[in-house]
Every structure is written in C-alpha cells, then in structure tokens.
Amino acid sequence: MPLHHTIRSLFRAGSVPVLLFAAAAGTLTGADAYAADGPTAALGTPSTVGPDFQYLGTDDKPHGFKAPKGCLAASGGGGRAVTNKTGSTVTFYREPGCAGPAVQVLRPGAVQPVQPYFASARFGITK
C-alpha cells in the first residue's frame, strides 16, 4: 500500500517528529511507556495513546513516558530529538538524578534536540 504524498514528503525531508514517531514502532522504555502514534502524529492528528514526553536516545532507540512527574532517568541517553507534549516545562541535566547544572529547558509543546546529551530530566510546574 503506497504512502500518502504528504507522509512520503515528510519522510524524505527527514522531519524529526516523523522519525520519532515512526521509529517508536520498535520499543519504548521507561516508566509507563506506550507505543507511539505512528507518522500521522507528526501531521497534527490528536493523540490519546502515545507518550506525553518522548525522545530519540543516543542509542538510536525511541523512549517515552506517559504523564511524567519529578526527575526521571534518560534511559538510552537522551539528546537527539525531544518532543514535550506535557503541560509543563522540562529541565535537562547531564548527570543522573537531575544533579549538576541544567543543560537546557524545554517548554510545553516544543520539539527540538538537546545538545549534546542529557542523562536525566525534571518535569516542572504544570501551566
């Protein structure tokens, strides 16, 4: 079955969200991990199943959490593409246990890489 033209063009363009969602057909790890929505999630289709927070780890595997709270370890090493569909900010740390200086802060609804990597993430105040 051929892919719809819009989905095919997103794959060719190398869109980060498409890679996250398509790669998530593999395995997701972490507390309350869920399967991803598939490529249509990158097109803005409402999601009720996929993880609220997901990232492509430095291990080239997708990881995600449903309703994350507090400080969580970034299994597989985080850093590539990060999608924050939560209602709170996420602060990233290079050290496990959310120790040391913050590397980056990601607002709710944001999708971007965290350079060069993160080992843990703290989910902040809900907005």
Side-chain angles (χ1 to χ4, degrees), residues 35-102:
D37 301 311
T40 57
L43 300 175
T45 304
S47 169
T48 58
V49 179
D52 298 323
F53 175 79
Q54 59 185 349
Y55 61 94
L56 185 60
T58 55
D59 61 357
D60 290 328
K61 294 181 182 177
H63 302 272
F65 298 97
K66 184 75 174 172
K69 294 178 184 171
C71 180
L72 298 175
S75 163
R80 300 231 173 124
V82 178
T83 301
N84 181 15
K85 294 192 295 184
T86 70
S88 65
T89 59
V90 182
T91 305
F92 300 98
Y93 299 87
R94 288 203 184 120
E95 301 297 323
C98 298

